[in-house]
Amino acid sequence: MAHKTSELKRITYDRAALRPRLLHIGFGAFAKAHVMVYHDEWLRSEDTDWGVVAVRLHSGEADLTKLDQADGLFAIGEMQDDDLALREIGPVIRTLHLKRDGTPALLERIADPDLSLITLTITEKGYCLSEGHLDLKNTAVAQDLSANGNPTTAIGIIATGLQRRMTTGCEGLTILSCDNLPENGKLCRQAILEFAERLDPALSGWIERTCRFPCSMVDRITPAMTEASHQKLEAALGHPDPNGILCEPFRQWVIEDRFAGERPGWDQAGAQFVSDVAPFEDMKLRLLNGSHSFLAYLGALAGKQTISDCMADPVLKTAAKKLMLSEQARTLEVPPGVDIPRYADALIERFSNSALHHKTTQIASDGSQKLPQRLLAPISWHIAHDSPFPLAALGVAGWMHYCRGLAETGMPLPLNDPLAAQIEDLAAHANGADYVEQMLSLQQVFGKDLPASSQFTNQIRSAYDRIGSDGVVNAITASL
Ligand code: CS2
């Protein structure tokens, strides 16, 4: 039971006045705890008609039905150790699920003249990219391109919806990626333009002229809900809320100020509109997400269930801070007004929040999609500058051990990754140096340059061996 629970902060605005101005694709826990909290706070502070259509494409059909039953309302609980602050969130006026409602309903929504903005939290793999380009070998993309207007990927659906806007004479849209990718707006634009070019040669030109794809840096630690977190929320609210989400109190949103039309007033809720997001994105991806992945793989191997369990271990805690300050921070252009040591201290404090129960195995998912921007890009910087990267090397080698599916404690480790089948096959047939070499040949993860650098391959091989022979904690201790 929470030590100190605040009263539920009820919504104050007239929801009947809201129209479908924003469509959010990937309406899961993070969207609720981040994008919707900013949006809700804006609606509380200004009279506006910006309602939200909540969309899911593949999973989550039952979740949207539950949200409909609650008339789109849900609670957010911001937790700091024993304290819990509750707020009601009200911008959602409609939900759409690809399977439940069908592609035509989604395309119709995107072609609605009222719509101004699409926001996306579809995870790294949702952009269907391979080495910066639309992955034409991806079966879902190939199918969408031959599916006669019935796409199922977010990229295919947006491009086809935009085609409809073009032919009906509607204005362009702002499409805002809120996923943890560097230059997420540019990547999103690239994927949509490459799809559009194949769909209709006139479309890509129209999109370039009328649509905008701002980059953004999003931040709020939001673990997946569990039975225990639902019970905690129920105890705090006094009734169950199947749509509610628990998260940390901290939140940050830095958005490139490039909108096609009207810009939502999220700055009234603390978001920053800036001309260049890249330094903020890199800082967050390398310091927060990079050390998250480091702790997820090495922590899970060492038997740690959560990130706060990792922070309770002096070796992992010291290593995370050192990874941030001695390795990752050196690769950054520091964003204006940011003090990096203070930022790192704040991250360690956020990671230590005992209420979050953020599972190492959750963060460990989709490693093939996460490693490039979190650990490999900084490693490339170190190689170019001839500087050491022992902890990042342990992180990458830790991922390779993790992919073998077994913790040092003997506990099985789940491998959730788009490359899982390929990786499992490698792990079943190769060991030691052979296995490392074959993992390094996964071009979608490592590209071409890093595997060609002996400085890189030697360090990964020796980090992999050290973890295997000495165990995670000793291998890390030797690198501190
Ligand atoms: C985490 C992120 O699961 C992960 O990969 O690193 O979800 C992280 O919690 C968020 O980016 C925090 O803003």
Side-chain angles (χ1 to χ4, degrees):
M1 178 77 171
H3 180 65
K4 205 175 90 207
T5 300
S6 73
E7 279 278 296
L8 177 67
K9 205 171 151 200
R10 296 229 176 248
I11 55 159
T12 50
Y13 44 92
D14 175 15
R15 297 177 74 228
L18 300 178
R19 294 187 305 141
R21 302 290 309 277
L22 187 162
L23 180 136
H24 185 94
I25 304 183
F27 199 82
F30 183 79
K32 286 179 177 173
H34 187 274
V35 180
M36 284 307 106
V37 168
Y38 281 89
H39 200 81
D40 181 78
E41 201 155 310
W42 171 40
L43 297 185
R44 287 170 192 258
S45 64
E46 193 179 318
D47 220 3
T48 157
D49 64 356
W50 275 67
V52 171
V53 180
V55 177
R56 300 217 30 182
L57 299 182
H58 307 295
S59 56
E61 189 176 332
D63 291 345
L64 289 190
T65 304
K66 280 185 229 154
L67 193 54
D68 292 339
Q69 285 159 359
D71 192 24
L73 288 171
F74 57 92
I76 290 291
E78 299 170 352
M79 308 182 289
Q80 183 63 52
D81 299 314
D82 290 336
D83 296 342
L84 183 54
L86 297 166
R87 57 191 295 160
E88 187 179 35
I89 306 290
V92 175
I93 53 171
R94 189 166 306 169
T95 72
L96 277 175
H97 194 279
L98 179 67
K99 292 208 190 88
R100 186 188 67 188
D101 304 300
T103 307
L106 257 169
L107 297 178
E108 197 181 311
R109 250 314 122 225
I110 295 177
D112 182 344
D114 270 353
L115 194 71
S116 300
L117 174 63
I118 297 180
T119 44
L120 297 169
T121 47
I122 53 177
T123 78
E124 297 87 345
K125 60 179 179 273
Y127 295 85
C128 305
L129 292 160
S130 176
E131 297 177 72
H133 290 278
L134 183 67
D135 183 4
L136 299 171
K137 291 200 202 109
N138 178 316
T139 37
V141 171
Q143 212 172 330
D144 275 11
L145 282 166
S146 63
N148 296 329
N150 223 7
T152 63
T153 64
I155 298 301
I157 288 168
I158 295 171
T160 313
L162 291 176
Q163 184 182 34
R164 220 179 266 188
R165 288 186 81 86
M166 176 181 78
T167 49
T168 54
C170 282
E171 284 171 2
L173 296 176
T174 301
I175 295 149
L176 176 61
S177 165
C178 305
D179 283 294
N180 286 319
L181 284 162
E183 310 219 282
N184 50 10
K186 287 191 186 154
L187 290 175
C188 178
R189 176 177 184 273
Q190 183 74 17
I192 291 174
L193 284 179
E194 288 186 2
F195 191 99
E197 254 155 45
R198 283 167 179 79
L199 199 60
D200 172 352
L203 179 60
S204 55
W206 182 84
I207 293 176
E208 281 187 292
R209 283 194 304 283
T210 65
C211 296
R212 292 292 175 269
F213 297 83
C215 290
S216 78
M217 179 271 249
V218 291
D219 191 4
R220 175 164 249 187
I221 298 176
T222 311
M225 288 295 281
T226 60
E227 200 44 52
S229 37
H230 275 297
Q231 279 168 10
K232 181 169 180 168
L233 183 60
E234 177 173 348
L237 285 168
H239 59 83
D241 180 353
N243 302 295
I245 297 290
L246 295 179
C247 59
E248 66 169 340
F250 180 90
R251 59 179 159 88
Q252 190 177 11
W253 201 0
V254 187
I255 308 163
E256 186 183 6
D257 195 2
R258 255 170 74 77
F259 281 70
E262 202 188 325
R263 190 182 83 178
W266 295 325
D267 45 340
Q268 300 195 35
Q272 289 165 267
F273 291 106
V274 303
S275 57
D276 183 12
V277 181
F280 293 94
E281 281 180 319
D282 287 345
M283 173 182 74
K284 191 257 172 174
L285 280 168
R286 295 180 186 188
L287 297 193
L288 190 160
N289 299 112
S291 50
H292 245 182
S293 288
F294 172 90
L295 292 168
Y297 300 119
L298 295 166
L301 284 168
K304 310 289 180 205
Q305 303 269 318
T306 66
I307 293 294
S308 59
D309 291 345
C310 295
M311 290 299 99
D313 178 313
V315 171
L316 288 171
K317 183 176 178 179
T318 308
K321 182 100 180 270
K322 187 152 186 220
L323 173 70
M324 291 178 198
L325 293 178
S326 306
E327 296 188 25
Q328 305 283 79
R330 299 185 59 194
T331 71
L332 298 174
E333 180 194 322
V334 178
V338 175
D339 176 314
I340 291 286
R342 274 177 57 191
Y343 185 81
D345 281 343
L347 289 181
I348 296 290
E349 225 180 287
R350 291 168 63 197
F351 289 178
S352 306
N353 186 341
S354 62
L356 289 177
H357 301 295
H358 200 188
K359 294 218 168 65
T360 46
T361 51
Q362 185 192 341
I363 300 165
S365 67
D366 291 347
S368 70
Q369 301 274 321
K370 293 174 177 172
L371 283 192
Q373 54 278 11
R374 296 182 179 199
L375 293 174
L376 299 174
I379 288 179
S380 297
W381 185 97
H382 285 294
I383 290 177
H385 293 80
D386 206 16
S387 59
F389 52 91
L391 291 167
L394 281 171
V396 175
W399 171 68
M400 293 182 179
H401 275 283
Y402 181 98
C403 288
R404 303 197 73 103
L406 210 56
E408 288 175 347
T409 53
M411 284 291 284
L413 298 170
L415 181 60
N416 294 312
D417 195 290
L419 297 187
Q422 204 177 338
I423 292 172
E424 273 160 4
D425 190 50
L426 287 184
H429 296 102
N431 281 310
D434 257 7
Y435 170 68
V436 173
E437 197 173 317
Q438 292 189 36
M439 289 293 270
L440 289 174
S441 70
L442 294 171
Q443 205 170 301
Q444 305 97 305
V445 184
F446 294 100
K448 291 193 189 107
D449 295 345
L450 279 177
S453 150
S454 56
Q455 201 184 339
F456 177 67
T457 53
N458 289 342
Q459 290 211 47
I460 300 299
R461 217 174 288 131
S462 91
Y464 183 85
D465 289 346
R466 248 179 302 128
I467 294 173
S469 58
D470 304 350
V472 166
V473 171
N474 290 332
I476 295 176
T477 308
S479 299
L480 291 177

